[in-house]
C-alpha cells in the first residue's frame, strides 16, 4: 500500500504528470476510454493503471494471453461442473441413504460456495492472485474424489461443502487475473470464456447418462450400495477430470502475478518486470520503465519499504477499507450496490427453479409416458448442448454498439425469466423439452455476460473484494433455496413463478447500472 505525506498533492493535480509516461507508451486508449471515469478512485493508482493499460495494449493479444485463456477456462468449467454434479447425484443419494431432509445436500454445497467466495475473493486482494489461482482447483479435485467413498448422507454433505469451498473461489480469482492481463481490445474474451461453463454442463451430462442412467436405483425400490454405484463412479470421474485441469495449471503453465495488483501494492519494479515477461512470452518487447509509473506520483509520495511496515500493511488489508472504496462515490456506490443486488436475485432465482422443477419434470414425464431415468438424462444432454452456443452469442452481442454489456445482460436475463414461466405450461414432452432448451440457451448468455461484466466494474486493488461481495450475495441467497425446498410444498409451481419474477426484475435492474464497459479499458 502506498501512503501520501500530509502535504502531498491529491485529486486532479496528482494526474498532471501522467502525460510524461503516456509519451512512452503509444496506444489507442484515451482519457475517456476507461470503464470507471476519472475522479472515482485513487488518482495516483488511476494514472498508473492507464499507463499499464497502454503497455498491455501495445504488447497486444499474444501467446501468453491465449494460454491464460485456456487455463482460466478450467475455473469457469469447475464453477458449473460441480453444482451440476450435486444436482445429478441428488436423487441416487436420496434413494440410497433415505435422508429425512434431502435438500440438506444442496445446502451443504451452498455453504461451501459461500465460504470459498469469501475466503478466496477477499484473499486474492491480500495475498495475491497467483496463489489462489493455483490452489482452488486442487482443493476441489481432492475433496471431489474423496467424496466417492462417503459412507452416509452426512459424509457426502461434508465432502460437498469441502469441494465447494474450492469451487467458490474460481470465478472471483480467475476473472480478476485474466482481465488484468487482457488488452482493452480483447476484453470481450472474458464473455467468450463462458463457453467452458457451458461445455462443463455438456461433459457432466454426457458422462452421467451411462453411469447414472444404468447404475442407479430406481425410486421406491430397495436400494443397495452395489446397485447404486453410478453416482460414486461419476463423482470420482469428475474429481479426476478436475485433477487433470489442476495439474495442467500447476505443471504446464507459468502464471505471472498481475502487474496491476503489484502496482497497487506499491511494487512498481515487479509490476514492470511482469509486463516485460508477458512481452517476452509473446515474442515482443515493451518500452515501459519504472520511471513511467513514478512519473504519475505527486511530490512527497512515498512507499512503505521496511519489514515492520509490510506486516502492518497486510494487517490493514484485512480491514474494510477495500469495501469502503467501492462505495466511496455516489456512482461507484450505485454500481456496486446494484450489481450485488442482481447477483443476489439471480442467486435465489436459479437454484429455486432447480429445486422445484424436478417435481414438474417428474409429474409431466409421468403424464407424457417418458419419465424413465434414461430419458431424463437424454433430455438433460440435449438441454446442455443447446446451451453451448449461448456463450458464443453472448461474446458477439456484448460488442454491438446498441447493446453492449448492459443491453445483452438485461435482455438475456429477462428472457430467461420468460422462458422459465413458459416451461410450466408445457402440455406434451417435446414442448417441455423445447422450453427448457430456450431457458438454458438464454441463461447461458446471461451468465456469460454477468461473469465478464462484473469484474470490469471494479478497480484492480478492490477487484477481488468486489467479486467476493457479489459472489457472497449470490451464495447467501442461494442458501435460501434449499431451505425453502425443505419447508415448502414441492408439489406446487409457485416457487418457480417467483424464480421467473426474480430473473425479470434483475434484467430491469441491470438497465439502471451507471457504467457500460463496452470499448473501454478496465482500471
Amino acid at each position: 500500500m502506498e501512503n501520501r505525506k500530509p502535504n502531498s498533492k491529491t485529486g486532479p493535480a496528482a494526474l498532471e504528470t501522467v502525460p510524461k509516461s503516456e509519451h512512452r507508451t503509444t496506444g489507442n486508449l484515451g482519457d475517456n476510454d476507461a470503464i470507471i471515469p476519472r475522479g472515482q478512485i485513487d488518482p495516483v493508482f488511476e494514472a498508473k493503471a492507464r499507463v499499464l493499460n497502454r503497455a498491455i495494449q501495445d504488447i497486444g493479444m499474444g501467446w501468453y494471453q491465449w494460454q491464460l485463456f485456456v487455463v482460466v477456462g478450467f475455473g469457469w468449467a469447475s464453477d458449473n461442473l460441480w453444482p451440476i454434479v450435486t444436482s445429478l447425484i441428488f436423487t441416487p443419494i436420496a434413494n440410497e441413504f433415505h435422508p429425512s431432509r434431502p435438500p440438506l445436500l444442496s445446502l451443504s454445497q451452498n455453504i461451501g460456495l459461500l465460504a470459498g467466495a469469501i475466503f478466496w475473493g477477499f484473499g486474492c486482494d491480500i495475498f495475491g492472485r497467483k496463489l489462489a489461482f493455483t490452489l482452488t482447483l486442487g482443493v476441489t479435485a481432492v475433496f471431489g474424489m474423496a467424496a466417492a467413498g462417503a459412507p452416509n448422507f452426512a459424509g457426502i454433505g461434508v465432502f460437498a461443502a469441502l469441494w465447494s469451498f474450492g469451487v467458490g473461489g474460481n470465478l472471483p480469482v480467475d476473472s480478476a487475473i485474466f482481465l488484468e492481463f487482457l488488452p482493452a481490445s480483447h476484453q470481450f474474451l472474458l464473455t467468450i470464456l463462458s463457453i467452458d461453463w457451458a461445455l462443463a454442463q455438456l461433459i457432466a451430462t454426457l458422462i452421467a447418462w451411462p453411469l447414472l442412467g444404468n447404475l442407479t436405483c430406481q425410486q421406491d425400490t430397495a436400494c443397495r450400495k452395489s446397485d447404486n454405484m453410478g453416482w460414486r463412479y461419476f463423482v470420482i470421474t469428475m474429481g479426476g477430470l478436475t485433477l487433470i485441469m489442476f495439474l495442467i495449471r500447476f505443471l504446464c503453465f507459468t502464471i505471472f502475478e498481475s502487474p496491476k495488483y503489484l502496482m497497487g501494492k506499491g511494487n512498481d519494479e515487479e509490476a514492470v518486470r511482469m509486463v516485460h515477461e508477458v512481452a517476452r512470452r509473446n515474442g515482443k518487447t515493451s518500452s515501459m520503465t519504472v520511471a513511467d509509473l513514478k512519473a504519475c506520483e505527486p511530490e512527497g509520495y512515498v512507499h512503505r519499504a521496511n519489514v515492520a511496515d509490510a506486516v502492518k500493511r497486510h494487517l490493514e488489508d484485512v480491514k474494510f477499507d477495500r469495501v469502503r472504496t467501492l462505495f466511496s462515490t455516489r456512482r461507484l456506490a450505485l454500481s456496486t450496490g446494484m450489481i450485488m443486488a442482481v447477483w443476489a436475485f439471480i442467486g435465489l432465482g436459479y437454484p429455486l427453479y432447480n429445486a422445484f422443477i424436478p417435481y414438474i419434470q417428474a409429474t409431466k414425464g409421468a403424464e407424457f409416458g417418458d419419465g424413465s431415468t434414461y430419458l431424463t438424462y437424454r433430455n438433460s444432454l440435449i438441454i446442455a448442448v443447446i446451451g453451448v452456443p449461448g456463450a458464443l452469442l453472448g461474446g458477439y452481442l456484448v460488442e454491438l454498439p446498441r447493446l453492449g454489456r448492459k443491453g445483452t445482460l438485461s435482455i438475456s436475463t429477462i428472457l430467461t425469466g420468460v422462458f422459465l414461466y413458459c416451461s410450466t405450461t408445457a402440455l406434451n414432452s417435446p414442448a417441455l423439452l423445447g422450453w427448457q432448451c430456450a431457458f438454458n440457451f438464454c441463461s447461458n448468455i446471461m451468465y456469460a455476460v454477468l461473469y465478464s461484466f462484473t469484474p470490469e466494474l471494479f478497480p484492480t486493488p478492490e477487484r477481488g473484494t468486489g467479486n467476493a461481495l457479489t459472489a457472497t450475495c449470490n451464495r447467501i441467497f442461494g442458501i435460501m433455496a434449499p431451505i425453502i425446498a425443505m419447508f415448502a410444498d414441492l408439489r406446487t409451481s409457485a416457487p418457480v413463478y417467483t424464480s421467473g419474477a426474480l430473473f425479470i426484475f434483475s434484467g430491469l435492474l441491470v438497465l439502471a447500472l451507471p457504467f457500460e464497459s463496452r470499448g473501454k479499458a478496465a482500471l
Side-chain angles (χ1 to χ4, degrees), residues 263-322:
M263 181 266 290
K265 289 290 187 180
N267 196 344
D268 292 350
E269 292 78 7
E270 190 66 9
V272 172
R273 191 178 76 82
M274 289 298 101
V275 170
H276 284 275
E277 283 294 318
V278 172
R280 181 185 61 79
R281 184 76 69 87
N282 289 355
K284 295 186 177 181
T285 59
S286 173
S287 61
M288 183 181 181
T289 66
V290 175
D292 294 330
L293 294 178
K294 297 300 183 186
C296 300
E297 299 176 0
E299 183 181 353
Y301 198 78
V302 296
H303 300 299
R304 294 175 179 173
N306 59 48
V307 175
D309 284 337
V311 172
K312 185 178 180 181
R313 181 170 68 246
H314 281 291
L315 290 174
E316 288 178 345
D317 282 339
V318 183
K319 296 179 181 178
F320 290 98
D321 292 345
R322 297 182 185 281

Side-chain angles (χ1 to χ4, degrees), residues 384-432:
V385 170
I386 295 297
V388 173
L392 295 175
L393 180 61
Y396 170 75
L397 294 177
V398 295
E399 291 299 307
L400 295 181
R402 294 185 180 275
L403 280 177
R405 270 64 159 174
K406 286 171 59 176
T408 304
L409 180 56
S410 176
I411 292 172
S412 60
T413 306
I414 291 172
L415 287 177
T416 297
V418 170
F419 287 128
L420 189 154
Y421 280 135
C422 293
S423 69
T424 66
T425 67
L427 298 177
N428 53 60
S429 182
L432 178 62

Side-chain angles (χ1 to χ4, degrees), residues 135-465:
L135 291 180
T136 48
L137 284 180
V139 170
T140 305
V142 169
F143 290 114
M145 289 188 293
N152 50 42
F153 184 73
I156 188 62
V158 170
F159 282 121
L162 291 172
W163 81 52
S164 297
F165 177 75
V167 173
N170 281 310
L171 285 179
V173 175
D174 294 8
S175 60
I177 200 163
F178 187 51
L179 181 61
E180 288 159 19
F181 279 108
L182 277 180
S185 57
H186 287 74
Q187 281 179 194
F188 70 92
L189 288 175
L190 203 58
T191 305
I192 299 294
L193 263 176
S194 285
I195 192 172
D196 295 286
W197 199 81
L199 286 173
Q201 181 181 9
L202 175 59
I203 292 170
T205 309
L206 189 61
I207 296 173
W209 190 5
L211 291 178
L212 298 180
N214 298 313
L215 301 173
T216 297
C217 293
Q218 296 300 313
Q219 201 163 3
D220 301 324
T221 62
C223 187
R224 297 175 302 176
K225 178 179 178 180
S226 58
D227 298 327
N228 200 46
M229 291 296 291
W231 74 266
R232 297 179 187 274
Y233 296 147
F234 179 58
V235 168
I236 200 167
T237 301
M238 295 298 98
L241 181 61
T242 307
L243 180 62
I244 292 172
M245 293 190 292
F246 165 73
L247 291 175
I248 292 174
R249 270 192 182 183
F250 185 69
L251 300 176
C252 304
F253 180 75
T254 302
I255 181 70
F256 299 137
E257 185 57 89
S258 162
K260 285 183 185 175
Y261 168 80
L262 292 167
M263 181 266 290
K265 289 290 187 180
N267 196 344
D268 292 350
E269 292 78 7
E270 190 66 9
V272 172
R273 191 178 76 82
M274 289 298 101
V275 170
H276 284 275
E277 283 294 318
V278 172
R280 181 185 61 79
R281 184 76 69 87
N282 289 355
K284 295 186 177 181
T285 59
S286 173
S287 61
M288 183 181 181
T289 66
V290 175
D292 294 330
L293 294 178
K294 297 300 183 186
C296 300
E297 299 176 0
E299 183 181 353
Y301 198 78
V302 296
H303 300 299
R304 294 175 179 173
N306 59 48
V307 175
D309 284 337
V311 172
K312 185 178 180 181
R313 181 170 68 246
H314 281 291
L315 290 174
E316 288 178 345
D317 282 339
V318 183
K319 296 179 181 178
F320 290 98
D321 292 345
R322 297 182 185 281
V323 177
R324 284 196 291 267
T325 299
L326 295 176
F327 294 88
S328 58
T329 69
R330 181 178 176 277
R331 294 184 73 189
L332 269 179
L334 184 63
S335 176
T336 303
M338 293 184 73
I339 199 65
M340 287 172 64
V342 169
W343 275 88
F345 292 139
I346 291 176
L348 176 58
Y350 197 78
L352 192 63
Y353 172 75
N354 287 333
F356 284 85
I357 200 63
Y359 167 74
I360 296 176
Q361 287 178 313
T363 54
K364 294 288 187 181
E367 291 173 9
F368 304 150
D370 60 356
S372 70
T373 303
Y374 178 85
L375 286 175
T376 297
Y377 286 113
R378 185 208 66 178
N379 290 349
S380 297
L381 180 60
I382 294 172
I383 294 168
V385 170
I386 295 297
V388 173
L392 295 175
L393 180 61
Y396 170 75
L397 294 177
V398 295
E399 291 299 307
L400 295 181
R402 294 185 180 275
L403 280 177
R405 270 64 159 174
K406 286 171 59 176
T408 304
L409 180 56
S410 176
I411 292 172
S412 60
T413 306
I414 291 172
L415 287 177
T416 297
V418 170
F419 287 128
L420 189 154
Y421 280 135
C422 293
S423 69
T424 66
T425 67
L427 298 177
N428 53 60
S429 182
L432 178 62
L433 179 60
W435 289 127
Q436 289 178 325
C437 286
F439 167 81
N440 198 49
F441 179 79
C442 291
S443 66
N444 270 273
I445 298 176
M446 174 191 72
Y447 276 115
V449 182
L450 185 64
Y451 285 167
S452 62
F453 186 34
T454 299
E456 291 179 332
L457 296 176
F458 304 122
T460 295
E462 292 78 33
R463 181 163 290 125
T465 299

